[in-house]
Amino acid sequence: QVQLVESGGGSVQAGGSLRLSCAASGYSRSDPCLGWFRQAPGKGREGLASFGSDGTIIYADSVKGRFTMSADDAKDTLYLQMNSLQPDDDAIYYCAARGPTSTGLRITPSGCWVNAWGQGTQVTVSP
């Protein structure tokens, strides 16, 4: 069973930084797909960054140059360093991974597919 637990959200002023963490377990290690998404009020879920199967990290244009995704060597913990935060970044942030089924798949920026989600962590950016 895939388990994803995010932490590190909070409130910051515009221009500030936050670092999100995600404890990940139970996801497919043979064909891994891990990434970060966010969902703002009234909007769809947006892919922000993800690992491809070759280990490279691909970012959405909306966060390129401001957000950095990383992981520990075992990929048991995922991180998302967010700098230069703006009010448009206000959203619930989710860690995502590929689970064992083929339902509910959503494509990531690197082109792999995820269908397991954490509970999300709120990021609030004030002007």
Side-chain angles (χ1 to χ4, degrees):
Q1 182 179 357
V2 180
Q3 290 193 317
L4 303 165
V5 181
E6 303 97 336
S7 60
S11 298
V12 294
Q13 290 190 318
S17 298
L18 281 174
R19 189 191 198 205
L20 306 182
S21 299
C22 172
S25 63
Y27 65 90
S28 170
R29 300 279 178 164
S30 60
D31 185 19
C33 183
L34 293 169
W36 288 95
F37 284 68
R38 69 183 176 188
Q39 188 162 14
K43 296 188 178 179
R45 197 162 291 192
E46 177 190 12
L48 302 178
S50 61
F51 284 106
S53 58
D54 62 355
T56 58
I57 301 173
I58 305 297
Y59 296 93
D61 287 344
S62 58
V63 302
K64 200 176 295 182
R66 298 188 302 125
F67 290 11
T68 302
M69 178 171 139
S70 62
D72 63 5
D73 288 345
K75 288 192 173 62
D76 291 330
T77 306
L78 223 61
Y79 303 99
L80 186 68
Q81 177 67 42
M82 305 185 294
N83 298 329
S84 302
L85 284 162
Q86 299 301 319
D88 282 351
D89 296 315
D90 206 299
I92 298 174
Y93 284 70
Y94 297 92
C95 179
R98 178 62 185 266
T101 70
S102 298
T103 57
L105 292 169
R106 189 180 291 265
I107 196 167
T108 66
S110 63
C112 63
W113 298 81
V114 294
N115 59 356
W117 305 89
Q119 82 285 355
T121 186
Q122 177 72 49
V123 172
T124 302
V125 185
S126 56

Coordinates of all heavy atoms in Angstrom, one line a residue, residues 1 5-6 12 20 28 32-33 38 42 54 59 66 74 77-78 83-84 87 92 116 125:
Q1 N 0.8 -1.2 0.0 CA 0.0 0.0 0.0 C 0.9 1.2 0.0 O 1.8 1.4 0.8 CB -0.9 0.0 1.2 CG -1.8 1.2 1.3 CD -2.7 1.1 2.5 OE1 -2.7 0.2 3.3 NE2 -3.5 2.1 2.7
V5 N 3.1 11.1 3.1 CA 2.7 12.0 4.2 C 3.5 13.3 4.0 O 4.7 13.3 4.2 CB 3.0 11.4 5.6 CG1 2.6 12.4 6.6 CG2 2.2 10.1 5.7
E6 N 2.8 14.4 3.7 CA 3.5 15.6 3.5 C 3.6 16.4 4.8 O 2.7 16.2 5.7 CB 2.7 16.5 2.5 CG 2.5 15.9 1.1 CD 1.1 15.2 1.0 OE1 0.6 14.9 2.0 OE2 0.6 15.1 -0.2
V12 N 3.5 32.3 4.6 CA 4.7 33.1 4.4 C 4.2 34.4 3.7 O 3.2 34.4 3.1 CB 5.8 32.4 3.6 CG1 6.4 31.3 4.3 CG2 5.3 32.0 2.2
L20 N 8.9 21.8 1.7 CA 8.0 20.7 2.0 C 8.7 19.4 2.0 O 9.7 19.2 1.2 CB 6.9 20.7 0.9 CG 6.1 22.0 0.7 CD1 5.0 21.7 -0.4 CD2 5.5 22.5 1.9
S28 N 5.9 1.8 -6.4 CA 6.6 0.9 -7.2 C 8.1 1.3 -7.3 O 8.4 2.4 -7.8 CB 6.0 0.9 -8.6 OG 6.8 0.2 -9.5
P32 N 9.5 3.6 -10.9 CA 9.1 4.7 -10.0 C 8.6 5.9 -10.7 O 9.1 6.3 -11.8 CB 10.4 5.0 -9.2 CG 11.5 4.6 -10.1 CD 11.0 3.4 -10.9
C33 N 7.6 6.5 -10.1 CA 7.2 7.8 -10.6 C 6.8 8.6 -9.3 O 5.9 8.2 -8.6 CB 6.0 7.7 -11.5 SG 5.5 9.3 -12.2
R38 N 0.0 20.6 -7.0 CA -0.7 21.5 -6.2 C -2.1 21.8 -6.7 O -2.4 21.6 -7.9 CB 0.0 22.9 -6.0 CG 0.0 23.7 -7.2 CD 0.9 24.9 -7.0 NE 1.0 25.7 -8.2 CZ 1.8 26.8 -8.3 NH1 2.6 27.2 -7.3 NH2 1.8 27.5 -9.4
G42 N -10.7 26.4 -6.6 CA -11.4 26.6 -7.9 C -10.6 26.2 -9.1 O -11.1 26.4 -10.3
D54 N 14.5 7.7 -15.4 CA 16.0 7.8 -15.5 C 16.5 8.7 -14.4 O 17.7 9.0 -14.4 CB 16.4 8.3 -16.9 CG 15.8 9.7 -17.2 OD1 15.1 10.2 -16.4 OD2 16.2 10.2 -18.2
Y59 N 10.4 20.1 -14.4 CA 9.6 21.1 -13.7 C 8.5 21.7 -14.7 O 8.8 21.9 -15.8 CB 10.4 22.3 -13.2 CG 11.4 21.8 -12.1 CD1 12.7 21.4 -12.5 CD2 11.1 21.8 -10.8 CE1 13.6 21.0 -11.5 CE2 12.0 21.3 -9.8 CZ 13.2 21.0 -10.2 OH 14.1 20.6 -9.2
R66 N 12.3 28.6 -9.5 CA 11.9 29.0 -8.1 C 11.8 27.8 -7.2 O 12.1 27.9 -6.0 CB 10.6 29.7 -8.2 CG 10.6 31.0 -8.9 CD 9.3 31.8 -8.7 NE 8.1 31.0 -9.1 CZ 7.1 30.8 -8.3 NH1 7.1 31.3 -7.1 NH2 6.1 30.1 -8.8
A74 N 17.5 6.9 -1.1 CA 16.6 5.8 -1.2 C 15.2 6.2 -1.7 O 14.4 5.4 -2.0 CB 16.4 5.1 0.2
T77 N 12.2 9.9 1.2 CA 11.7 11.2 1.5 C 11.9 12.1 0.3 O 13.0 12.2 -0.2 CB 12.4 11.8 2.7 OG1 12.3 10.8 3.8 CG2 11.8 13.1 3.1
L78 N 10.9 12.8 0.0 CA 10.9 13.7 -1.2 C 10.8 15.1 -0.6 O 10.2 15.4 0.5 CB 9.6 13.5 -2.0 CG 9.7 13.5 -3.5 CD1 10.6 12.4 -4.0 CD2 8.3 13.3 -4.0
N83 N 11.1 28.8 -3.3 CA 11.7 30.2 -3.1 C 10.8 31.2 -3.9 O 10.1 30.8 -4.8 CB 13.1 30.2 -3.5 CG 14.0 29.3 -2.7 OD1 13.7 29.0 -1.6 ND2 15.0 28.8 -3.4
S84 N 11.0 32.4 -3.5 CA 10.3 33.5 -4.2 C 8.8 33.3 -4.3 O 8.2 33.4 -5.4 CB 10.9 33.8 -5.6 OG 12.3 34.0 -5.5
P87 N 1.6 35.2 -4.2 CA 0.2 34.8 -3.9 C -0.4 33.8 -4.8 O -1.2 33.0 -4.4 CB -0.5 36.2 -3.9 CG 0.6 37.2 -3.5 CD 1.8 36.6 -4.1
I92 N -3.1 24.0 -2.0 CA -2.7 22.7 -1.2 C -1.7 22.0 -2.1 O -2.0 21.8 -3.3 CB -4.0 21.9 -0.9 CG1 -5.0 22.7 -0.1 CG2 -3.6 20.6 -0.2 CD1 -6.3 22.0 0.1
A116 N -1.5 7.8 -6.7 CA -1.5 7.8 -5.2 C -1.1 9.1 -4.7 O -0.2 9.7 -5.2 CB -0.6 6.7 -4.7
V125 N 0.3 32.3 0.9 CA 1.3 33.3 0.6 C 0.5 34.7 0.7 O -0.4 34.9 -0.1 CB 2.0 33.1 -0.7 CG1 3.1 34.2 -0.9 CG2 2.6 31.8 -0.8

